[in-house]
Amino acid sequence: MNREVVKSDGASTRIPQLDFEIPAFTQKGSLSTIEGLLERAVAGLEQDQPTRKVTDPAAAEKIEKFIERLKKLKEGEEEFTLTIDDPSGNSFIENPFVPQKDTALTVTHYKRTPEQNAVLGIETEEEVEDEKPSNDLDAMKNEVLVFNTNCPECNAPANTNMKLVQIPHFKEVIIMATNCDSCGHRTNEVKSGGATEELGTRITLHVTDPSDMSRDLLKSETCSVLIPELEFEFGMAALGGKFTTLEGLLKDIKDLIVSKNPFMCGDSTTSDRAEKLELFGQKIDKIIAAEMDVHIILDDPAGNSYLQNVYAPDPDPEMKIEKYTRTFEQNEDLGLNDMKTEGYAEK
């Protein structure tokens, strides 16, 4: 009940066991706890009860029973499932076991429907380009494409550079970088330049030397990072696509979990949580210095991630690459189950 919850204006809240739902845009966004959400729901239902008992006693009695059930859930007397559905993707329920995985918490990403885009005020019409696209792949490889965007931090006009790059012993990727002259914000993103592979890829590296930190690494947006010795799992899309080194990836993970964690400052933090995350950051530093014997696993169901083999073209004795068949759930996450590539024009 003490889990912190970020709920945006456009998020709906449901408790299936009570057939209870708070529709989107009926409450303002809030930073609270699960207990706070239930208290707010109880307060809303109790607000008109005195009037309701006079005008409609039967309905008032039913609502009173429902309020009692909500209070029992708040006191922890019954198990229940809380579902927050946010088309904008801006809601959050705390994982109290971070950096370990929370088995009671499930986060599902989905593609918004046109109706949800319309409610959020997002343009859905595709812009028609007057110029015919070039098919000269060799020219694209040597050209840096520039297009106008807005800075994600200050919203000032900025330029994004895009380049097609060939990674040795792997494949082509698209690197996009944005620099803002107004606020100095810089960001980069990596996308695979090819199709989703037929098999998923799991890369396991045994870290034995500080030089392992300089290995080139491509992490696609569908790749999860696992460190079994720390019981740590970093889900897909958490950092987006990155082309960096192993050291750079570990530092980004540390920054995101420890330094840039919004629940590590102000009233949101607790001494116990701060100590756990500080200890986790120290362990990451030891891994970077090769002072811990660990295995780093890159698990990419789309098969579009890469870790440099410093012995190439010979096999790397400390690195194992496994190909595996994706599960139905993994194909569903990648949007492949409903994808039809042949005969799609037939009625």
Side-chain angles (χ1 to χ4, degrees):
M1 302 305 294
N2 290 327
R3 288 175 185 251
E4 290 172 333
V5 177
V6 177
K7 178 183 172 297
S8 73
D9 295 352
S12 62
T13 305
R14 291 194 299 273
I15 301 178
Q17 287 81 354
L18 300 185
D19 196 19
F20 173 69
E21 179 175 359
I22 302 174
F25 298 105
T26 58
Q27 293 181 347
K28 291 185 178 181
S30 62
L31 170 59
S32 182
T33 62
I34 295 179
E35 182 180 7
L37 286 181
L38 295 178
E39 284 183 351
R40 190 175 181 182
V42 169
L45 292 172
E46 288 180 336
Q47 183 176 2
D48 297 326
Q49 273 296 82
T51 305
R52 199 178 289 119
K53 287 178 180 179
V54 176
T55 58
D56 192 348
E61 184 179 354
K62 292 180 180 179
I63 292 176
E64 193 66 35
K65 292 180 180 178
F66 188 81
I67 291 174
E68 291 301 320
R69 289 203 63 188
L70 277 177
K71 288 182 177 179
K72 287 183 179 180
L73 297 187
K74 191 184 72 168
E75 297 300 327
E77 297 179 13
E78 298 181 20
E79 292 186 358
F80 67 97
T81 301
L82 176 69
T83 303
I84 296 181
D85 187 350
D86 188 355
S88 71
N90 291 325
S91 293
F92 165 82
I93 297 180
E94 178 193 11
N95 171 9
F97 306 105
V98 69
Q100 280 79 36
K101 186 176 181 180
D102 186 353
T103 56
L105 181 67
T106 302
V107 180
T108 304
H109 299 278
Y110 60 87
K111 187 175 181 180
R112 285 186 293 268
T113 64
E115 292 78 13
Q116 290 171 326
N117 281 331
V119 170
L120 295 173
I122 299 175
E123 291 288 340
T124 57
E125 296 182 0
E126 297 182 357
E127 296 182 358
V128 180
E129 297 182 355
D130 296 331
E131 298 181 1
K132 187 176 180 181
S134 173
N135 291 323
D136 190 352
L137 188 60
D138 292 334
M140 287 185 62
K141 290 180 179 178
N142 299 319
E143 182 182 1
V144 177
L145 303 178
V146 182
F147 52 91
N148 297 325
T149 56
N150 289 84
C151 174
E153 289 293 326
C154 67
N155 205 36
N159 290 331
T160 294
N161 300 325
M162 184 172 70
K163 180 78 164 60
L164 189 66
V165 178
Q166 173 68 47
I167 297 180
H169 308 291
F170 188 52
K171 60 171 67 174
E172 292 175 337
V173 297
I174 299 171
I175 298 179
M176 294 180 287
T178 302
N179 295 327
C180 179
D181 295 332
S182 297
C183 68
H185 178 74
R186 296 193 296 178
T187 181
N188 66 80
E189 188 175 359
V190 178
K191 298 286 186 182
S192 172
T196 300
E197 298 291 329
E198 292 185 6
L199 299 174
T201 302
R202 184 180 295 107
I203 305 172
T204 303
L205 174 68
H206 183 201
V207 178
T208 58
D209 190 86
S211 62
D212 288 329
M213 293 297 112
S214 62
R215 291 177 185 247
D216 289 334
L217 179 146
L218 171 65
K219 176 196 172 296
S220 77
E221 62 271 19
T222 59
C223 179
S224 301
V225 181
L226 298 91
I227 306 177
E229 289 80 2
L230 301 187
E231 297 182 0
F232 171 75
E233 180 177 351
F234 203 63
M236 65 171 64
L239 274 175
K242 281 190 173 293
F243 184 43
T244 178
T245 62
L246 186 57
E247 180 180 2
L249 177 67
L250 292 173
K251 286 184 176 180
D252 286 341
I253 291 174
K254 178 186 174 183
D255 288 344
L256 189 63
I257 293 179
V258 181
S259 304
K260 299 179 181 179
N261 191 336
F263 296 105
M264 278 289 290
C265 57
D267 296 337
S268 300
T269 187
T270 63
S271 58
D272 181 57
R273 180 191 300 162
E275 288 176 5
K276 285 171 59 178
L277 293 182
E278 188 66 29
L279 179 60
F280 176 79
Q282 293 173 4
K283 290 180 178 179
I284 292 293
D285 290 336
K286 288 184 178 181
I287 293 175
I288 294 175
E291 296 175 0
M292 283 187 69
D293 186 23
V294 297
H295 294 77
I296 296 178
I297 302 174
L298 303 179
D299 191 347
D300 189 354
N304 289 327
S305 293
Y306 160 85
L307 184 61
Q308 181 186 12
N309 174 7
V310 294
Y311 297 90
D314 297 325
D316 189 331
E318 302 298 340
M319 186 168 70
K320 181 171 66 172
I321 301 177
E322 304 170 82
K323 298 289 185 179
Y324 62 89
T325 302
R326 287 185 290 269
T327 63
F328 178 88
E329 289 75 15
Q330 288 172 324
N331 281 328
E332 187 71 18
D333 290 339
L334 296 174
L336 300 177
N337 290 331
D338 299 324
M339 187 179 294
K340 188 176 182 182
T341 59
E342 296 180 359
Y344 49 84
E346 297 176 3
K347 294 184 179 179

